[in-house]
Amino acid sequence: MPRARDVLAVGRPAFWVVSVVPYYVGVLLATHRLVPVVADWPRLLVGAVVMGPLLWLSVLAINDAYDLPGDLINPRKSKSPLLDGRVSLAEAKWLAVAAGVASVGVAFFVGTTFALGVVLAVALGFAYSVPPVRLKTRAGFDVAANSLALGTFGPLAGWAAVNPT
């Protein structure tokens, strides 16, 4: 079983803001407030944890697992936990599934609509990396998948977190 710091490395915390910012834009559009009312903070923070660490761990772990052959020859990936053996291929796939399931499970604490969106985001993340679909290798679909995930799902998730029904 990988250590916590290796799991964190797979989840790449620097990426979390990439989806938390569009999520916050959705919150901003739904509330018309720079700072949401305090009563909404717990639900919105849970949503941010789903949109940041949990979803990214799922999506990046499955991506790393299926990109391993190419990453082995990519010098930029030399510190990857999968390349140096700190996380095995099987562990990366297990992390991806476990984080995806956790994302959906925790998302229900935010709301059913939010959770449905998270199911779609996890499915898109797997479709992006896993054959035979592997959208990242299909011209145009790679950009469309990322645009949909970040440009559409992110703000809609923020909106759904404010309006859970």
Side-chain angles (χ1 to χ4, degrees):
M1 188 57 137
R3 296 188 319 214
R5 89 162 197 237
D6 299 327
V7 171
L8 191 63
V10 171
R12 303 204 245 330
F15 279 70
W16 301 351
V17 73
V18 172
S19 57
V20 171
V21 168
Y23 169 77
Y24 176 72
V25 168
V27 170
L28 185 64
L29 291 171
T31 63
H32 303 285
R33 300 173 60 105
L34 195 55
V35 178
V37 295
V38 174
D40 288 342
W41 287 11
R43 188 175 63 256
L44 297 177
L45 288 173
V46 170
V49 168
V50 170
M51 296 301 293
L54 290 175
L55 269 175
W56 277 112
L57 178 58
S58 179
V59 170
L60 292 172
I62 201 66
N63 185 66
D64 286 354
Y66 283 93
D67 280 0
L68 188 58
D71 288 350
L72 287 168
I73 57 173
N74 184 346
R76 291 182 316 128
K77 297 286 190 160
S78 65
K79 300 209 187 297
S80 165
L82 270 79
L83 294 183
D84 64 13
R86 291 179 286 148
V87 175
S88 71
L89 183 60
E91 288 169 335
K93 289 178 179 180
W94 181 87
L95 281 171
V97 171
V101 169
S103 296
V104 174
V106 173
F108 277 104
F109 289 100
V110 177
T112 305
T113 303
F114 182 85
L116 177 60
V118 171
V119 167
L120 294 174
V122 170
L124 181 61
F126 274 67
Y128 183 78
S129 297
V130 179
V133 178
R134 200 158 160 81
L135 295 173
K136 73 182 298 175
T137 61
R138 298 171 187 263
F141 286 99
D142 56 339
V143 174
N146 284 304
S147 297
L148 180 62
L150 298 171
T152 304
F153 286 171
L156 285 175
W159 184 278
V162 170
N163 302 295
T165 57

